[in-house]
């Protein structure tokens, strides 16, 4: 039971980190002054990004094991950290 709760907490944290990365890729910089808004928007954005990328991964033939889902979250978060905050989106 405790292990299941820990896994759920890790999954939610991974979605929030992926959401922050996706928001930075889109040119938004969530403010840390309002953590509830920042966490809420980042969580929903992370779920959307993971849903989109997960669907593409399934079409590509991946099985989407737990480690592949976690790797997608880390990749989106890392891509957001690489892009400078506030930089205009490339066109």
């Amino acid at each position: 039971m405790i292990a299941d709760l820990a896994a759920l907490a890790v999954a939610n944290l991974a979605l929030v980190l992926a959401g922050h990365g996706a928001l930075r890729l889109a040119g938004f910089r969530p403010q840390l002054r309002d953590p509830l808004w920042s966490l809420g928007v980042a969580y929903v954005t992370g779920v959307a990004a993971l849903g989109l990328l997960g669907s593409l991964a399934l079409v590509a033939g991946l099985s989407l094991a737990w480690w592949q889902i976690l790797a997608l979250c880390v990749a989106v978060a890392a891509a957001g950290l690489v892009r400078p905050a506030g930089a205009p989106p490339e066109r």
Side-chain angles (χ1 to χ4, degrees), residues 33-64:
R33 293 184 307 229
D34 192 4
L36 291 179
W37 181 89
S38 176
L39 288 175
V41 171
Y43 181 79
V44 172
T45 306
V47 169
L50 186 65
L52 177 69
L53 293 175
S55 297
L56 292 174
L58 286 171
V59 169
L62 295 177
S63 64
L64 283 190

Side-chain angles (χ1 to χ4, degrees), residues 1-88:
M1 176 94 160
I2 297 296
D4 292 336
L5 288 175
L8 182 63
V10 168
N12 284 329
L13 180 63
L15 288 172
V16 168
L17 292 175
H20 273 290
L23 285 171
R24 287 179 60 100
L25 282 173
F28 294 101
R29 186 171 184 182
Q31 297 294 322
L32 296 177
R33 293 184 307 229
D34 192 4
L36 291 179
W37 181 89
S38 176
L39 288 175
V41 171
Y43 181 79
V44 172
T45 306
V47 169
L50 186 65
L52 177 69
L53 293 175
S55 297
L56 292 174
L58 286 171
V59 169
L62 295 177
S63 64
L64 283 190
W66 67 269
W67 64 270
Q68 291 171 336
I69 294 172
L70 192 58
L72 278 175
C73 289
V74 169
V76 173
L81 289 176
V82 169
R83 184 169 186 274

